[in-house]
Amino acid sequence: GGCAAGGTAARGGAAGARAQHHQPLAIRPGFPNGLKVLVIDENAASLEATVSVLKQCNYQVTTCKSCNSAIELLRKNSSFETVLTDSKVLSKSDEQIKKFQDGLKGVPLLLMLEGDATTEVVKGIKMGALQILHKPIVLENARNIWQHTIRKMMAEKGLRPGPARSGGA
């Protein structure tokens, strides 16, 4: 298989997310530390660099080096909270892409891209990518990827972003 699980970095620190709504979200203590991230990149050096940055954020990172191994892993393991994939991974057959999308099961998808290939960005957005991150991934961008997980949790509970609404109307 082309996937490998890794632990979180052994640093403490970053403050967890704070829910601003009256309705509770099931956010585990210390979140976003331990965010379960799947990274898919066929380029070993790029994969290693991305993992290094994500671990600085105290994320729990699992890697895959191919679309096929990612599809297999997603079938077996539905606990990922965010998936980061290199845009080149999406240049597979339509059938493979469909299997990949089915495997995501609603997990937020973020696209990593080298350069400014508009066609790859459009393809990623059509596949459901919520954010485009330019390579090499920098700490400032990696620190914020957990926000998509919160948005997914809110959507699943029927919560909308914005100030808490009170009473009728």
Side-chain angles (χ1 to χ4, degrees):
C3 298
T8 55
R11 289 183 24 224
R18 288 166 186 83
Q20 299 285 323
H21 284 277
H22 298 290
Q23 292 131 313
L25 287 175
I27 300 172
R28 69 182 171 274
F31 185 88
N33 288 332
L35 184 75
K36 295 179 188 107
V37 181
L38 174 61
V39 181
I40 310 151
D41 195 334
E42 295 171 348
N43 178 315
S46 172
L47 182 64
E48 192 175 310
T50 300
V51 168
S52 174
V53 171
L54 294 173
K55 286 190 174 183
Q56 289 178 54
C57 298
N58 294 316
Y59 297 156
Q60 186 176 329
V61 182
T62 301
T63 60
C64 283
K65 292 181 180 146
S66 75
C67 189
N68 280 336
S69 57
I71 291 167
E72 286 304 308
L73 184 62
L74 286 164
R75 255 190 217 139
K76 288 184 230 164
N77 182 349
S78 61
S79 72
F80 294 108
E81 295 169 303
T82 301
V83 174
L84 261 91
T85 186
D86 180 74
S87 61
K88 292 178 193 77
V89 173
L90 303 183
S91 61
K92 306 301 176 199
S93 70
D94 288 343
E95 182 185 339
Q96 252 190 324
I97 295 301
K98 175 83 174 99
K99 285 180 184 175
F100 179 69
Q101 283 179 295
D102 291 347
L104 286 171
K105 300 178 195 105
V107 175
L109 175 66
L110 310 181
L111 189 68
M112 299 182 294
L113 181 66
E114 286 182 79
D116 288 315
T118 305
T119 53
E120 289 182 11
V121 171
V122 170
K123 188 172 185 176
I125 290 170
K126 283 181 178 176
M127 275 194 61
L130 300 174
Q131 187 174 358
I132 309 301
L133 298 171
H134 291 277
K135 290 168 115 178
I137 303 302
V138 294
L139 191 58
E140 182 182 328
N141 291 338
R143 279 193 179 121
N144 294 319
I145 66 173
W146 59 267
Q147 294 174 20
H148 299 291
T149 302
I150 296 293
R151 287 188 186 100
K152 177 180 180 266
M153 290 172 160
M154 288 178 67
E156 287 171 351
K157 292 205 179 284
L159 301 173
R160 296 200 327 253
R165 290 162 185 82
S166 59

